[in-house]
Amino acid sequence: MRIATWNVNSVKQRVPRFLPWLDQRQPDVVCLQETKLTDEAFRKLLGDEITGRGYEIAYAGEVQWNGVALLSKVGMEDVTVGVEGAPGFPHQEARAVAATCAGVRVHSLYVPNGREPDSEHYQYKLKWLAALREVVANGPAEVVLCGDMNVAPADADVFDPAAYVGQTHVTEPERAAIAAFDLHDVVRDRWPDERVFTYWDYRAGMFHRDLGMRIDLVLAGEPVAGRVKAAWVDRQARKGSGPSDHAPVMIDLDEAPDGDIGPMVPPPSAPAARKGSVKLPQSALKPPPAG
């Protein structure tokens, strides 16, 4: 079973790339984030195209901001929207949808950004993650959390730790919140020493210079992690015209149709930047008000 997660940064904008990508990569389960559409708008835009390819769909959308979806070719049971006990900001946002797909509890997640350390939104992020942790702890061991976690788990997951001093995504409380799930970070498990990113800011040529972060994660329970045969970032989907600023993360269970490839396909051509030589574009991690 192939599981993919992708922050598409507006599914409406990504349609010309998304459907060919589905046909090329043939994922069995797809977790999408930042769809930025209501459920009805998503259904009208892509429902027929997706179901025509053999997928069931679960949505959790809202107008203009946020939004997640879950697509499955291998069945979809016990669909839940949202995270029980999670706070709103101030209302509940469309950030989570889960279902059981071929015996695996799959969560498609768009974790709050946090905006600035110690801000109200940062505290909201930590409380939201704590509520999700309770849900996962009380659920099955056959689980995967897929999505834009808005946390780089370690210094190795950013191009230069010095560039992120004073920013969200890299603070100890955020990293501790991810570690507290006690799940396998399957990409890092498979590629412990490799430079692997999933997000590159649109500005300042960050993608072409490979100045990125790894914030799109797949966290798996032991029974699922033990089935992983390949784990990689589909960097091809970030190339060319009209891409999302995130690349999909691909996980193959039980068999690897493309072989044990990775960690990034294709690999970047840019060498690692010299430490301290690059600064982040202004406000690189500060989203619009609803982010």
Side-chain angles (χ1 to χ4, degrees), residues 34-104:
E34 274 203 279
T35 57
K36 297 183 179 180
L37 289 176
T38 65
D39 295 352
E40 183 59 27
F42 191 117
R43 191 176 297 113
K44 288 182 178 179
L45 177 69
L46 281 171
D48 290 344
E49 291 281 4
I50 291 173
T51 57
R53 286 168 166 79
Y55 292 97
E56 297 177 69
I57 314 172
Y59 314 85
E62 60 183 275
V63 177
Q64 191 175 5
W65 307 113
N66 306 317
V68 289
L70 183 58
L71 286 56
S72 176
K73 283 184 174 180
V74 293
M76 183 180 290
E77 301 175 348
D78 301 323
V79 175
T80 59
V81 172
V83 174
E84 183 178 359
F89 196 79
H91 67 282
Q92 291 293 325
E93 299 178 305
R95 294 187 176 275
V97 62
T100 301
C101 305
V104 177

Side-chain angles (χ1 to χ4, degrees), residues 14-276:
R14 235 49 69 198
V15 169
R17 299 179 65 105
F18 175 62
L19 294 175
W21 174 83
L22 276 182
D23 294 337
Q24 178 190 20
R25 296 305 189 194
Q26 293 290 314
D28 299 293
V29 178
V30 183
C31 298
L32 300 177
Q33 301 87 43
E34 274 203 279
T35 57
K36 297 183 179 180
L37 289 176
T38 65
D39 295 352
E40 183 59 27
F42 191 117
R43 191 176 297 113
K44 288 182 178 179
L45 177 69
L46 281 171
D48 290 344
E49 291 281 4
I50 291 173
T51 57
R53 286 168 166 79
Y55 292 97
E56 297 177 69
I57 314 172
Y59 314 85
E62 60 183 275
V63 177
Q64 191 175 5
W65 307 113
N66 306 317
V68 289
L70 183 58
L71 286 56
S72 176
K73 283 184 174 180
V74 293
M76 183 180 290
E77 301 175 348
D78 301 323
V79 175
T80 59
V81 172
V83 174
E84 183 178 359
F89 196 79
H91 67 282
Q92 291 293 325
E93 299 178 305
R95 294 187 176 275
V97 62
T100 301
C101 305
V104 177
R105 190 68 180 167
V106 181
H107 296 255
S108 180
L109 303 167
Y110 180 42
V111 173
N113 178 282
R115 299 185 186 171
E116 295 180 351
D118 299 321
S119 67
E120 289 185 1
H121 204 267
Y122 179 87
Q123 297 303 323
Y124 162 54
K125 178 180 190 173
L126 296 179
K127 292 175 182 177
W128 195 95
L129 282 167
L132 176 65
R133 187 170 67 249
E134 286 298 311
V135 169
V136 173
N138 291 315
E142 295 81 6
V143 63
V144 289
L145 310 185
C146 303
D148 181 355
M149 304 298 182
N150 270 319
V151 178
D155 282 353
D157 298 311
V158 297
F159 74 87
D160 182 359
Y164 291 88
V165 172
Q167 302 278 353
T168 56
H169 296 58
V170 298
T171 67
E172 286 307 313
E174 292 168 290
R175 288 175 169 174
I178 293 297
F181 284 98
D182 195 26
L183 298 172
H184 289 267
D185 181 345
V186 296
V187 168
R188 189 51 80 196
D189 281 359
R190 202 151 196 89
W191 307 104
D193 302 316
E194 300 287 342
R195 185 165 58 117
V196 188
F197 304 134
T198 65
Y199 164 84
W200 301 260
D201 193 279
Y202 284 127
R203 295 165 292 182
M206 300 288 275
F207 177 68
H208 302 291
R209 299 158 71 193
D210 197 35
L211 304 174
M213 309 177 73
R214 192 177 70 93
I215 57 176
D216 304 87
L217 309 177
V218 177
L219 307 178
E222 182 70 36
V224 180
R227 297 168 56 190
V228 173
K229 300 302 182 185
W232 47 286
V233 176
D234 187 2
R235 189 172 167 274
Q236 183 67 39
R238 180 60 175 81
K239 298 179 71 174
S241 61
S244 170
D245 45 2
H246 297 251
V249 180
M250 316 290 292
I251 303 298
D252 290 321
L253 304 182
D254 302 325
E255 60 181 353
D258 299 307
D260 188 9
I261 58 176
M264 301 177 69
V265 181
S269 56
R274 179 171 52 85
K275 301 298 184 184

